[in-house]
Amino acid sequence: TLYIHLDYTITGHQDGSVNIWSTSTGNIIHRLKAHQAKLTGLEVHYGMGLLITISLDKTIKVTRLSSLEEVYNIMTGDRMSNLRVLDRNSLAYCTKYSVKVWNLFQVDALVNRLFSEVHRIRRTGEGQLLVETDDGD
């Protein structure tokens, strides 16, 4: 899997790693162990500065390019291929028998809003998640 930008090139590999190369020097700037199995997709979300990868390990990993910190890791339970960023808020990928669309904005908002320890999560009848944290939210 390959992504080319003016300043760097990002490659994904069969061992689950991701290399970020300097376009000007040709040297590896960073090497990430993103997944436990072969990468099957790699996309960069330009607007949010995110690296999104999928793998045969059935996970979606989202990494912030500015800090190289993992933002989240989603275990889908599906073997995935054909990863695409659709717009600012969503991405799509294929499984053997379907195309799935994820809303990144909702996942990112949920992860970024929790700044204290989670004590309990429960689901309401309407499909919402209620989260109890240290600060009482």
Side-chain angles (χ1 to χ4, degrees):
T1 309
L2 176 69
Y3 168 78
I4 300 175
H5 183 269
L6 293 176
D7 300 325
Y8 51 88
T9 300
I10 302 174
T11 56
H13 303 275
Q14 291 187 5
D15 66 356
S17 66
V18 173
N19 289 342
I20 301 175
W21 304 77
S22 167
T23 302
S24 59
T25 68
N27 295 328
I28 294 176
I29 302 169
H30 296 285
R31 182 175 175 86
L32 306 170
K33 181 62 177 166
H35 292 273
Q36 300 300 314
K38 177 183 176 180
L39 265 71
T40 56
L42 180 150
E43 285 279 312
V44 172
H45 190 300
Y46 296 101
M48 297 178 87
L50 301 173
L51 170 65
I52 305 164
T53 55
I54 60 175
S55 168
L56 292 181
D57 65 9
K58 303 178 182 180
T59 61
I60 300 171
K61 292 215 178 170
V62 180
T63 304
R64 193 171 316 283
L65 283 171
S66 61
S67 63
L68 297 178
E69 84 175 296
E70 186 176 296
V71 178
Y72 45 82
N73 178 355
I74 303 166
M75 301 187 89
T76 66
D78 294 315
R79 288 194 167 212
M80 300 167 284
S81 63
N82 301 310
L83 175 66
R84 296 291 180 266
V85 172
L86 301 176
D87 56 34
R88 176 165 168 64
N89 299 325
S90 56
L91 65 87
Y93 64 86
C94 297
T95 65
K96 188 172 183 177
Y97 298 108
S98 65
V99 174
K100 298 198 177 184
V101 177
W102 286 75
N103 186 324
L104 283 171
F105 183 73
Q106 288 178 344
V107 174
D108 190 43
L110 176 64
V111 171
N112 286 331
R113 292 186 67 195
L114 299 177
F115 294 105
S116 56
E117 185 176 337
V118 175
H119 295 289
R120 188 173 59 178
I121 299 175
R122 75 179 170 94
R123 189 176 188 144
T124 68
E126 294 83 31
Q128 296 176 323
L129 292 177
L130 296 179
V131 180
E132 180 182 329
T133 65
D134 278 344
D135 63 5
D137 287 345

